[in-house]
Amino acid sequence: MRSSGTACSRVVVLAVAAAFMPFHGHAGPMQCTHLPVVSADGERITGIEDMALDGANNRVLLSAYDRHAVDEALASGITEGVTVPEGGLYWLGLEQLEVSPVTSLSATRIAVFAETPVRLLPHGIGLFDHDGVRRLGLVNRVVTPDGISGEVLFFDAAGTDFQLTGRAGGDAFCRANDVVVVDSATTLVTYDQANCDGWALWAERAFDRHSAGVLRVTFGTAGVADTRTVFDSVAFANGITLDTRGRIVFAASRDSAVYALTGEALLQGDRDATVMVRFQGGPDNITVNESGALIVAVHPSPFALFLHMNGLTGVPTSRVVAVAPDGTTTLLVDADTPGVPGAATTALEAAGKLIVSSAWDHGLGVCTPVMPSAADRG
């Protein structure tokens, strides 16, 4: 079970994170507005960790929970029967972005149904929509008196509300981070560290062991999950998706890199992933736009994020990078771009906009490319 952390582990992570230095770049012309997102009951939604584009319904799915509120509850001492603030899944209609001026966004909570009650603290999500089959994979945080662990939930997402059809938990998922659904029954799940808690966990952090990776989880009859490791030699596996070539693309935050692995290679037993691109900073979640480019949220300074996570500084700045299929990178958002949430964890392109979210801040950043003037073009 993942523990809530100790003073020793924080010191160790501090030393490791100090190796990452911020990048002082300048982003291209982008006009962004940081907008509050409000649910139907007036709740201001904080901590939108991940997003998934649901193009068939002209909307974006959001996974959110207030990490600061959960940390405060844990710090106060959780006992059996005591709960923490719950998060939720939401959908946000893209037609709202066509109204001018936009001052806030409205999101609708998605109801989830399961035989056994599920308390949602949603982390990474992935949507599959093909030939009338719709599935949603979700990494869910699970709070216990010992701290926070994880599980993977698998939903039939065909209707307005989602029906839980598969659930996988246990030590294999204690550090689950993100998920992509590859067919009607199969997900690929990243785990950012190999150990769940205690000395083993923070020793892993201290020595930056390359022991994180990717699990393949197949949900069979009655939701029973078959779990196998498909890759296990990167530092802090994070966001994962499939690119337009069908490759498995995933981020390794502490390697400052995005890797690619082909399904064919996996079938042949080859687990050697190829580095697609390296960053100055730690890549987080990844989405793919219509042209096949990867849109990557990158933490400019993981050290600054670590300080914020431990309540020592304010929310740090954000970076978003586009990676074209040929490997060319374009800086879309950086520290000098106003109007975006701090410490961005996900960005995606939809309705002609760049939408930016953060697990550590409220609302969404909505960005529009600014065309250069005739004078600027020379």
Side-chain angles (χ1 to χ4, degrees), residues 152-333:
V152 174
L153 306 180
F154 199 54
F155 293 95
D156 181 340
T160 303
D161 304 321
F162 293 175
Q163 178 68 48
L164 184 67
T165 60
R167 191 171 191 173
D171 283 353
F173 302 96
C174 66
R175 296 293 313 188
N177 192 306
D178 195 21
V179 57
V180 60
V181 184
V182 298
D183 60 35
S184 62
T186 308
T187 67
L188 296 172
V189 180
T190 57
Y191 58 98
D192 52 46
Q193 287 161 104
N195 295 282
C196 292
D197 61 5
W199 289 88
L201 177 61
W202 65 263
E204 180 181 354
R205 293 171 175 169
F207 298 105
D208 198 22
R209 286 176 51 197
H210 284 64
S211 52
V214 180
L215 303 171
R216 183 179 67 197
V217 185
T218 303
F219 292 95
T221 305
V224 176
D226 174 66
T227 303
R228 301 182 183 184
T229 302
V230 297
F231 190 79
D232 59 1
S233 57
V234 296
F236 208 92
N238 203 322
I240 186 168
T241 191
L242 299 179
D243 71 3
T244 53
R245 303 180 189 179
R247 295 179 300 180
I248 303 160
V249 178
F250 60 95
S253 297
R254 291 181 186 165
D255 286 336
S256 299
V258 167
Y259 291 86
L261 193 62
T262 68
E264 291 81 0
L266 283 178
L267 290 174
Q268 296 168 9
D270 181 5
R271 296 185 181 182
D272 293 328
T274 301
V275 175
M276 287 187 63
V277 59
R278 291 196 181 276
F279 299 95
Q280 290 177 297
D284 201 312
N285 286 320
I286 308 169
T287 61
V288 182
N289 70 7
E290 290 183 351
S291 67
L294 306 180
I295 307 298
V296 187
V298 181
H299 298 292
S301 171
F303 178 50
L305 178 58
F306 166 78
L307 294 176
H308 175 69
M309 289 167 61
N310 287 276
L312 300 176
T313 63
V315 63
T317 58
S318 298
R319 178 177 300 149
V320 178
V321 179
V323 183
D326 65 0
T328 303
T329 61
T330 302
L331 187 60
L332 302 178
V333 165

Side-chain angles (χ1 to χ4, degrees), residues 37-45 90-91 105-110:
V37 179
V38 181
S39 68
D41 58 4
E43 171 197 9
R44 181 166 153 163
I45 300 173
Y90 302 86
W91 64 265
L105 298 169
S106 176
T108 301
R109 183 182 289 269
I110 298 170

